[in-house]
């Protein structure tokens, strides 16, 4: 009984720790979307998506409401969305997206993460051409439409590809077509589980499990920083 209790407590603490790191990032994404595009989700596809992603992660409604209201505050005016670039262990390319009100603090933290975990930062723009920015939507396999039919209906909205893996469909399009694809999926009554703008490597590389463990240490350190919203690599 004692061991079972300890396991359950450890499991809960792990979930709480994850939420304590995830919820601030989700809230910041909502606030930034509301600040830049307005507080009405119906008129702001980016905000609508940020709210949806927060709900999928079981973020409380009060937290979501507070994040939207925060967009009108003066403290959000100084927030900027920035990208940092670097090379991690074993030559892996790393793109780091941040939302920060203090670039000096954030870049110092990012540089420390790289230097302490076998990597180094490179000048902004050095790696941009190695990645392609894509709008990505994930949802369960629909029952009322085939993949071929959905592709035909999403082409005008900017669909580039539709892939299926383990009963989950992935819709890809250029990042500039995020809003049109989101609306097209909504019009088809498809319940999107997750939507995001991602950086897809143009020339992905493969590494060993041992090398991956080194890279994951760097990624974990970066993701622990509240200012960091996303981390991408060129690993296949």
């Amino acid at each position: 009984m004692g061991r079972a209790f300890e396991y359950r407590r450890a499991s809960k603490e792990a979930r709480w720790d994850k939420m304590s790191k995830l919820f601030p990032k989700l809230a910041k994404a909502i606030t930034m979307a509301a600040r830049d595009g307005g507080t009405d989700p119906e008129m702001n596809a980016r905000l609508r998506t940020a709210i949806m992603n927060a709900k999928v992660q079981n973020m409380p409604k009060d937290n979501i409401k507070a994040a939207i209201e925060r967009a009108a505050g003066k403290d959000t005016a100084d927030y900027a969305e920035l990208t940092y670039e670097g090379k991690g262990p074993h030559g892996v390319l790393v793109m780091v997206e941040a939302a920060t009100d203090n670039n000096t603090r954030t870049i110092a933290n990012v540089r420390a993460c790289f230097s302490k975990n076998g990597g180094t930062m490179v000048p902004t723009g050095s790696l941009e051409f190695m990645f392609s920015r894509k709008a990505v939507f994930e949802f369960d396999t629909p029952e009322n439409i085939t993949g071929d039919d959905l592709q035909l209906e999403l082409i005008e909205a900017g669909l580039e590809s539709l892939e299926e893996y383990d009963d989950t469909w992935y819709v890809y399009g250029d990042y500039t077509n995020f809003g049109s694809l989101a609306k097209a999926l909504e019009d088809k009554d498809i319940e999107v589980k997750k939507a995001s703008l991602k950086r897809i490597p143009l020339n992905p590389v493969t590494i060993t499990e041992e090398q991956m463990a080194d890279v994951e240490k760097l990624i974990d350190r970066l993701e622990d920083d509240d200012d960091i919203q996303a981390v991408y690599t060129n690993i296949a």
Side-chain angles (χ1 to χ4, degrees):
M1 179 69 72
R3 289 184 179 179
F5 173 77
E6 289 297 328
Y7 174 81
R8 289 196 299 270
R9 186 176 71 177
S11 179
K12 285 183 179 180
E13 289 176 350
R15 290 198 300 272
W16 291 336
D17 183 57
K18 180 180 179 181
M19 287 187 295
S20 70
K21 297 174 182 176
L22 179 62
F23 283 178
K25 297 178 188 291
L26 293 170
K28 189 175 289 186
I30 292 172
T31 299
M32 299 291 284
R35 185 197 69 176
D36 296 340
T39 58
D40 183 0
E42 294 299 320
M43 303 297 293
N44 185 343
R46 181 184 170 193
L47 175 60
R48 193 161 63 248
T49 300
I51 293 172
M52 177 196 67
N53 288 337
K55 288 181 176 179
V56 168
Q57 297 296 335
N58 297 314
M59 187 173 178
K61 291 182 179 179
D62 288 345
N63 293 40
I64 294 174
K65 181 181 178 181
I68 296 174
E69 294 174 346
R70 194 175 300 119
K74 294 181 179 179
D75 58 329
T76 66
D78 294 331
Y79 269 99
E81 293 176 291
L82 302 170
T83 301
Y84 307 108
E85 304 173 20
K87 292 185 178 180
H90 313 293
V92 169
L93 307 183
V94 184
M95 301 285 290
V96 183
E97 293 181 349
T100 177
D101 61 347
N102 187 328
N103 181 45
T104 301
R105 175 194 68 221
T106 306
I107 195 171
N109 291 342
V110 171
R111 183 175 289 110
C113 287
F114 274 98
S115 63
K116 293 179 180 179
N117 292 276
T120 182
M121 292 187 69
V122 299
T124 300
S126 301
L127 308 180
E128 188 76 33
F129 71 99
M130 301 293 290
F131 293 81
S132 177
R133 296 192 69 192
K134 299 294 182 184
V136 184
F137 301 83
E138 303 174 22
F139 49 90
D140 292 331
T141 301
E143 297 179 355
N144 59 342
I145 189 170
T146 67
D148 289 341
D149 288 341
L150 184 58
Q151 287 189 72
L152 288 173
E153 297 192 24
L154 293 180
I155 286 177
E156 290 188 3
L159 174 73
E160 291 184 351
S161 66
L162 173 63
E163 300 177 9
E164 183 177 3
Y165 182 75
D166 285 348
D167 296 324
T168 298
W169 285 12
Y170 298 84
V171 163
Y172 292 87
D174 189 80
Y175 77 100
T176 58
N177 292 318
F178 183 93
S180 58
L181 282 169
K183 185 177 187 307
L185 290 169
E186 289 173 6
D187 290 344
K188 296 298 299 179
D189 293 323
I190 291 176
E191 185 176 348
V192 176
K193 293 194 301 183
K194 185 178 181 181
S196 59
L197 294 174
K198 294 186 176 182
R199 296 178 186 270
I200 309 296
L202 297 176
N203 297 293
V205 299
T206 57
I207 59 177
T208 67
E209 291 186 11
E210 291 80 6
Q211 291 172 330
M212 188 64 207
D214 294 334
V215 176
E216 286 177 343
K217 290 179 182 178
L218 169 61
I219 294 175
D220 288 344
R221 285 291 300 274
L222 289 167
E223 290 182 340
D224 279 344
D225 193 308
D226 287 343
D227 291 336
I228 305 307
Q229 295 296 99
V231 180
Y232 303 101
T233 74
N234 66 330
I235 298 174

